[in-house]
Amino acid sequence: MNGRMNATWRRPHRVLSLLISYQVVTNCKNTVQGFKRFHGRAFSDPYIQSLKSSLVYDLAQMPSGTTGIKVMYMEEEKVFSIEQVTAMLLTKMKETAEHALKKPVADCVVSILATACDPELGGKDFDEMLVRHFCEEFGKKYKLDVKTKPRALVRLYQECEKLKKLMSANSSDLPLNIECFMNDIDVSGKLNRGQFEEMCADVLARVEAPLFAYKLKKEDIYAVEIVGGASRIPSVKERISKFFGKELSTTLNADEAVARGCALQCAILSPAFKVREFSITDAVAYPISLKWNSAAEEGLSDCEVFPKNHAAPFSKVLTFYRREPFSLEAYYNTPKELPYPDPTIGQFVIQKVVPQASGESSKVKVKVRVNIHGIFSVSSASLVEVQKTEEGEEPMDTEQQATPEKEEEKEGNMQTDQDETKAQGDGQKETEEEKTPPENEEMEESKTEKKSDQPPQAKKPKVKTKVLELPIENSPQWELAVDMLNLFVENEGKMIMQDKLEKERNDAKNYVEEYVYDMRDKLHGRLEKFVSEADRDILSLQLEDTENWLYEDGEDQPKQQYIDKLAVLKKLGQPIQERYMESEERPRAFDDMGKQIQMYMKIVEAYKTKEEQYDHLDQEEINKVDKMVNDAMIWMNSKMNQQSKLSLTVEPAVKVREIQDKTKELYSTCNPIVTKPKPKVELPKEDKAGEQNGPVNGQEKAPAEGTEKGAADSTGNPPSTESTNPRPDMDLD
């Protein structure tokens, strides 16, 4: 599936990009592209109807009234919703990322709208102007109706996009040539930058409109960075630069800037990466308001909850006074700025609201939230139940009841608590505008207000409040029903499995095709000496038959058919390849064995000449080595002689594995014998009996106790290693 929804899916993989471009031309009716503008639009939307004529694939109406895309899948006509196609694209991007990273991917950052934008203005709109121009030109010049041939129309789109890029770098006349365009007719045309800008004047005029949406002074802007492929168009750059009165900065890669920003955000959110600390605050792209039925005002009341560019994620707590359940409707209050016509976000019904025991309206706290993904929701609602208890003797109720008129007025109001506490740090933590009491937790507070009619001696009543969680019925606009969502997920799983089976089938087919071409070349190349003429003719004929089968009856066969075909070919070709490999590796194997034999022969000879290095070895074991070496030499010479008499086209007299096994056997038998270490010679232990006995043969007594052995003499000379006493005539061992 081609996905202009996010061009970064294609660009890192040139092979994938080429494959998709090929599919757009050869399978245009089944290749989906440019569908992100269909999100949130009904099939009957005039915008959808106006685009149908420029699409090479078919659109259809879904049961819910939304737009679907009609394709052929598994030889059946299927209609997929825009959400399904988007999910397929994201799934493919996930697989691509996992393949590149060699690890599972669970989360992603998608950047699909800007804080100020024209969702119907982009590079594709300039392509559309060029296509329209050449369709008219070819119609007059060649009498061709391009839009009746989807494949020709796709080719024209591709060539117009190339021409647009060339005109960004060249102002002279540039040609557009397409061979065999339609009905075997070659077409040609030319255009220059001036003509292009003139025909796109209406599109270029819309470039400046989003710039006015920024509520910033021009002198407050330090630099203007432009990104995106269409930002390379000179007239676009000129208009932006003129608006801001600054030279534009192009330090970022225009095609990959958004993808790199997403990668950075992924790293910030992921616990697996450590990123330099800095704060990123997302903003609410479109202002969000709430409206509700108001009993006091006898109609609808509304309130802007999150203005444009409000920090996100963010939460606010709204306070209502109600006696019964009520509903809130969330909507975007600037519908003209939206990329789709319906501004409704959804309906939220706060249920199980009851009046206080005294009959007064209950205080209901509603928490609304824009989360990290920019999605609005009513996350929770709670009712504050007031319970009065008397402490000691209480002669009368000390709090006045509200009058019905005041109560009705109070019920119609909504309060927004403004005790804001902005979260610090990474900017991703939720910020609330009120610290709400914990759910289902009772808290007590003393009333300090004194009523004018309260007796001075009366004791203050203790007020207990209880917070009760209220259920919320959520009905977001355009949200899929649970059963439909589960069905989509189930179908997606089946298609993923089918894709896996299809990939395995295609891989099996490709293996057969690769083997045919590879073996055909080798039979007249490096394998030529290792196959007889008769065997080569048989295999060549089999390869030719298989090739013909692949492009006729074998075009779309089960996986096992390809496996069986490959097995038949390998049965003929494998012995030839094995003979080649044996011929390549056999000399090296014989050489390794010969080196082993020579080494052990030298050691045996050294032993016989009584060299000291080997004089500790056992005669019987040396004889064993000698016999083993001689037998190995005889075996090797015999096999080499046999092999030299054989043709390369027949099975060898000895396999490389046999030679290697023989070499290992020689090593395992002889090496432990010839590397046997010499036995260690133990020196006689010194007898210290003489030190324990008295002086012998005129020896003087040992130094007095406390005298240190080896101490310096009176002359200051260093101590001697021998005793200062006269040496005895003999030593006693």
Side-chain angles (χ1 to χ4, degrees), residues 126-127 129-131 133-134 159-176 190-200 232-235:
F126 293 100
D127 298 343
M129 298 299 296
L130 289 173
V131 169
H133 168 77
F134 284 108
E159 294 302 321
C160 286
E161 185 178 8
K162 294 177 184 177
L163 180 63
K164 178 188 68 176
K165 294 177 180 179
L166 290 173
M167 286 190 294
S168 295
N170 198 322
S171 60
S172 60
D173 287 345
L174 295 171
L176 183 143
K190 63 179 181 178
L191 200 70
N192 59 46
R193 187 193 296 171
Q195 295 170 325
F196 171 65
E197 292 177 353
E198 183 178 350
M199 72 172 63
C200 296
R232 295 188 178 95
I233 299 175
S235 54

Side-chain angles (χ1 to χ4, degrees), residues 3 250 309 382 590 619:
T250 56
N309 294 328
S382 57
F590 273 136
Q619 177 67 47

